[in-house]
Each structure stands twice: as structure tokens, then as C-alpha cells.
Amino acid sequence: MITIGRKKIKILAILLILLMVGCSVDGNRDEAGSGTADMEVSENQTAVQPEEEIHTLSDNDTGVDISENDIPEQPETEEDSGEYFAMEELKALDISEDMLAYWLVLNSKMPFVSYDEGNQEFYWDEYFWLLGEVNHARGGDIYWGDPSSFTIVDMNNDGKNEFVVALSFGIIQVLHYEDGVVYGYQFVYRGMCPIYLNGIYAGGSGYYGCYRRLSELSKDGYTEEVLAEAEYSTHGDHNSYKMGDISVSQEEYEEFQQTLVEVGEVEYIDYTEDLLDEHLLAGLSEDELYMVKHVAVEPMTDTAEYPMEPEIMQAYYEVLTGEKEFISATDNKEMFYLNDYHQQNEDQIRYFSIVDMDRDGRYEVVLACERRGTQILHYENGDIYSYQYRDHDIGAIENDGIFSMGNFYYYGYDDDKYGIINSFEEDGCDIEEVDYNGNINDDRIRYYYFSEELIEQYFK
């Protein structure tokens, strides 16, 4: 075996450089002259890796292998690593499946199923719903639903922990892991405050107090078990107390309260990236943590198809991408580009859905907007007409076009009302109120995040 010293290698390298003077190096350059073109990867898109590593020469690359000892080690960042791991590879890590799944969901590496929107899948960073309504902005970048703190506790007493997020403006989100899927359920904060270490929680008002437990959590929803409740009269002389369905004395009720005081309340932790890592990925080595943070994003399972005539699909596509104006029946048939229309109203589109609202065999496009509620786009004779409605006019929509009216938490309505659209007119929709005894969430329309990628997928 012939051994060549490092100095001789460097001499050879110099000779090669001299031979290369005047030669141009191609190497797939970009506009800036770099030897390797940049690849942009969206948040929920996995970069495809070549079967073999291809080495291209930059302006300062001699093509000669250099010992690792000859150059300082460079830190590798997530953006330029280009390395992704399969979900299956994470199963070998020494970490519980549920904690790993919660971390993956909260970092938008895998979708979760939201019960409040009809068991639809969402990525966490594309989830803007509160109690079945699209999230409403409260000014600036503050939204209903921004995570503020979290805790980890067994809510349904099955020996496994749920991940509980306290969202801004009074909402609690409970994440539950089951058979490889994370399910989400939302509650009003005052109805789940405080939560005790045994999963029991309190809620009520000045004249009513109640202690409950989530006795069931599953893909089919949840069941709340009432453990104890008190109803207080305005004068304090006709108070009543129950343990389950049995009437009890004030002393017995207060004894139950004392047992919970002794158990203690959960501690909420600030919702930060570092603290999520610490509490959900505890015990992982640096290499294992690297694997988790570089796992390929798990795709959604939705495979719905919406067959449309080519000219209708093209018309919707042109309006949704801002290539063509629509006619606003809501605004005296003025014409607008979609982006201009929502900027003018300081609004933002969060989701789109495809549904036959008037049951005539042709699809409409339903846009769920941040401030102005529901916008319906309807095709007629080559043009797209727009109809804008507030959430209390058109809210949750079923696949057959039935929608709820006036029963939303944000507006404080109590009466359940439902309607259908009989036809689309030039100056508005012909809406009829109908009797409905079902649950719209059982067959709710599918909402897709409003993005260029998904618009291309469904309208091209």
C-alpha cells in the first residue's frame, strides 16, 4: 500500500488548481453564481432527496477531497440540512407515543383531527377555529386562540395523559391521543377552571358551581360526567347540593371540595418552543432530537374529489388566484379582485370549501373569512358572483347545503335556526328557514386551508 502524506496532497491540490485556471465551472449555478441552486420547501411539503449525492463545484471548490481536520466544523441548520426522516424511524426512540404525537402535532409535522369542526384534519399552524367558528382577530396580530400556556394531565382517568392548551381569550383545547391519531376538543375556559391533578375540573358562575370529569374521550367525541354541583339562591337560603344525581348536604359538598384542594391544581407552563421540547421530548439525545425535528411532514388522508365542468373550474381558479374579477351581489354588483376586496374590508380568507349550496348539481366555492364570515362564490354564464354573509346568517354548513343560523358562541345567540339556499339571484340569495333535528357536524363540509398549493390541487 502506498501512503501519501498530507503535504503532498496539498501540493497535488495546488497543481490541480493551476490546471483549472481559465476553465469555467458550470455546476448548475443559480443567478448569484452559487454552485448549487436553492430549493424552497413549504411548511408542509417534504423535500425529495436524490438517490445519489451529486457534488457540484462552486467557485472556490477544487474538486479535491479535504480532510475534516483542515477546515473548521460548520454548524448545520434545519433550513440547509436537506435531511428528512420517516415517521417510522421515530418509533424506535425511547419516548412515549402520545408525547411524541403531541409534539409532532404542535409543530405541524402531522395533522390532528378536530372534533368541533366535524372531525376534519388540520395542521396546527393552519388551524384558526374557536368552538366551531373561524377565529376572529382582536386587532394587530392577536387572535382568539393564540396558545398562551399548557399543562399535561390525565383528563379521562385512563392512565394516559392529555395535552391541555390554554388559548387566549378564554378557550381550552384538549388534545387526546388514540391509535396513532391526535384528536382535539375545545371548551370554554371558565367551564374548565381550575383543573386538578386527578383530571377533575370545576366550572360555573356566581349562582352555580359544578365539578366534572371527561369520562370518555374518543374519535366520536367526549362525555362529561357530573360529579358534584351546587345551585345558589340569590338570598343564600335555598341553596341545593348534589353528588351525581343524589342530593347531599352542604357539609358533604364542601368535604368533596376539600378533597380536591388536597389533590392540588395542575400547573400551567408558558407555551414556548423550548418548554414544549423539554416536557414532551424529555430524555432524547441531541441526535434523537435532531431526527424528530427533521422528520418528514405526514400528509393528510383527505382524498375527496369535486368533479366540475372545465369552464366552471377555470372560472373559479381565475377568481381565487386574482387573475379575474368577480361580481359582488352584496355590493350592488360592483366588480372586485378577491385580494383587493378583502384588503379593503381588512379581512383575510382562512379556508375554502367546495359544496353544492343550492342543490342544482353544480358546485359553489365557500370561503371562510376571518372578519366578515362566509363568502359564497357562484358560477353563472361565465361569471363568478359573490355573496357575503356574517356567521350568524350562515355558519356551519352540511354537505347537502343545510346551514346553521344564529346559534354561535361569538354572537351569544341561543336559538338554533337552520336554512337552505333555494337559488342565487343577482341581488342576493333566496334563503328559506327549515326544520332540522340533526347534528351538522356529523356531515359537515370539508374546509381546506386557503393556499396556492391547495387551490392548484382542486381547481387545476
Side-chain angles (χ1 to χ4, degrees):
M1 178 180 295
I2 301 175
T3 303
I4 301 178
R6 182 177 296 172
K7 290 184 179 179
K8 291 184 177 181
I9 291 176
K10 291 185 177 179
I11 292 172
L12 289 173
I14 293 171
L15 290 173
L16 283 172
I17 294 172
L18 292 174
L19 288 173
M20 293 171 65
V21 172
C23 297
S24 63
V25 180
D26 219 354
N28 296 326
R29 298 182 186 277
D30 58 17
E31 293 179 358
S34 172
T36 306
D38 292 333
M39 177 184 293
E40 294 184 1
V41 183
S42 66
E43 294 180 6
N44 296 317
Q45 181 181 3
T46 303
V48 179
Q49 302 302 312
E51 293 182 359
E52 296 181 1
E53 181 179 356
I54 300 174
H55 180 68
T56 56
L57 300 178
S58 68
D59 291 335
N60 297 318
D61 198 340
T62 65
V64 179
D65 292 333
I66 301 175
S67 169
E68 292 182 358
N69 296 324
D70 292 334
I71 58 174
E73 183 178 351
Q74 298 296 318
E76 192 176 54
T77 63
E78 184 173 350
E79 289 74 21
D80 63 16
S81 68
E83 186 172 14
Y84 293 88
F85 297 88
M87 287 288 179
E88 289 295 321
E89 296 180 77
L90 303 188
K91 292 183 178 180
L93 301 181
D94 185 20
I95 184 174
S96 62
E97 289 184 11
D98 51 357
M99 295 299 108
L100 175 60
Y102 295 144
W103 188 95
L104 293 171
V105 163
L106 295 166
N107 285 273
S108 301
K109 296 291 188 177
M110 66 179 281
F112 74 102
V113 175
S114 180
Y115 169 76
D116 296 271
E117 291 76 46
N119 286 332
Q120 297 185 29
E121 287 182 308
F122 296 95
Y123 290 108
W124 186 256
D125 62 356
E126 296 175 354
Y127 184 70
F128 295 91
W129 295 88
L130 285 179
L131 303 174
E133 287 187 74
V134 173
N135 198 339
H136 293 275
R138 300 285 290 186
D141 294 326
I142 300 176
Y143 293 93
W144 287 57
D146 285 341
S148 59
S149 58
F150 70 90
T151 191
I152 301 171
V153 59
D154 182 1
M155 293 294 295
N156 59 340
N157 199 31
D158 67 349
K160 299 178 181 179
N161 285 325
E162 277 66 48
F163 188 91
V164 180
V165 188
L167 307 175
S168 57
F169 297 101
I171 302 295
I172 291 286
Q173 179 113 15
V174 176
L175 299 181
H176 165 74
Y177 175 80
E178 181 179 333
D179 297 331
V181 180
V182 174
Y183 298 90
Y185 319 82
Q186 289 190 347
F187 302 86
V188 178
Y189 182 83
R190 65 176 178 268
M192 195 172 272
C193 177
I195 300 174
Y196 295 93
L197 291 169
N198 57 7
I200 295 173
Y201 52 91
S205 64
Y207 298 105
Y208 180 76
C210 189
Y211 294 89
R212 302 181 181 90
R213 177 190 291 284
L214 293 174
S215 58
E216 292 182 16
L217 277 171
S218 71
K219 62 182 180 181
D220 299 318
Y222 60 89
T223 301
E224 286 187 301
E225 178 186 0
V226 178
L227 304 177
E229 58 185 333
E231 187 170 355
Y232 305 103
S233 67
T234 55
H235 300 291
D237 53 353
H238 292 94
N239 298 341
S240 63
Y241 306 90
K242 286 184 178 181
M243 299 284 289
D245 294 328
I246 302 173
S247 295
V248 297
S249 66
Q250 180 178 348
E251 290 74 17
E252 290 174 299
Y253 179 81
E254 291 176 349
E255 285 177 8
F256 175 79
Q257 287 181 309
Q258 183 58 34
T259 62
L260 294 177
V261 171
E262 293 171 0
V263 167
E265 300 177 14
V266 299
E267 176 187 357
Y268 278 93
I269 303 159
D270 288 342
Y271 190 98
T272 67
E273 181 180 338
D274 289 342
L275 289 174
L276 286 177
D277 293 352
E278 178 183 336
H279 289 272
L280 294 176
L281 303 179
L284 293 185
S285 67
E286 288 188 11
D287 289 342
E288 291 171 332
L289 189 61
Y290 178 90
M291 286 181 61
V292 174
K293 294 196 172 186
H294 290 77
V295 68
V297 174
E298 185 175 289
M300 292 186 181
T301 60
D302 178 74
T303 57
E305 295 182 0
Y306 306 94
M308 284 184 250
E309 296 176 14
E311 61 269 23
I312 297 177
M313 185 179 293
Q314 180 65 21
Y316 282 134
Y317 179 81
E318 290 174 348
V319 166
L320 292 171
T321 56
E323 297 177 17
K324 185 178 178 180
E325 293 175 300
F326 63 83
I327 302 169
S328 177
T330 309
D331 301 278
N332 298 318
K333 294 192 285 187
E334 290 186 49
M335 300 188 71
F336 298 92
Y337 288 102
L338 190 62
N339 188 52
D340 292 343
Y341 184 72
H342 287 277
Q343 283 188 349
Q344 174 181 309
N345 292 288
E346 298 181 344
D347 199 5
Q348 185 170 354
I349 303 169
R350 290 299 187 189
Y351 305 98
F352 70 89
S353 190
I354 305 170
V355 58
D356 182 3
M357 291 295 296
D358 57 348
R359 302 164 308 287
D360 67 348
R362 294 190 304 182
Y363 286 110
E364 278 71 47
V365 175
V366 177
L367 304 179
C369 308
E370 180 185 278
R371 291 183 183 271
R372 304 194 75 211
T374 298
Q375 183 178 7
I376 302 174
L377 302 180
H378 168 76
Y379 174 88
E380 191 69 39
N381 297 325
D383 292 315
I384 299 296
Y385 289 81
S386 166
Y387 305 81
Q388 187 78 52
Y389 292 92
R390 295 290 186 181
D391 285 338
H392 56 280
D393 293 319
I394 294 181
I397 305 171
E398 213 178 36
N399 278 306
D400 64 0
I402 294 177
F403 53 87
S404 56
M405 303 185 297
N407 61 339
F408 287 89
Y409 168 77
Y410 179 71
Y411 290 97
Y413 287 83
D414 296 324
D415 297 329
D416 289 343
K417 296 193 301 183
Y418 301 90
I420 58 172
I421 294 175
N422 288 322
S423 62
F424 290 92
E425 311 294 341
E426 289 189 357
D427 57 350
C429 297
D430 176 18
I431 294 178
E432 176 187 355
E433 189 172 333
V434 296
D435 293 330
Y436 178 77
N437 297 317
N439 183 349
I440 280 183
N441 265 357
D442 290 342
D443 189 30
R444 192 164 178 179
I445 60 175
R446 180 69 171 95
Y447 282 97
Y448 300 96
Y449 188 65
F450 192 78
S451 66
E452 291 181 9
E453 179 183 358
L454 289 174
I455 289 171
E456 291 279 341
Q457 178 178 336
Y458 287 98
F459 294 95
K460 263 298 186 181

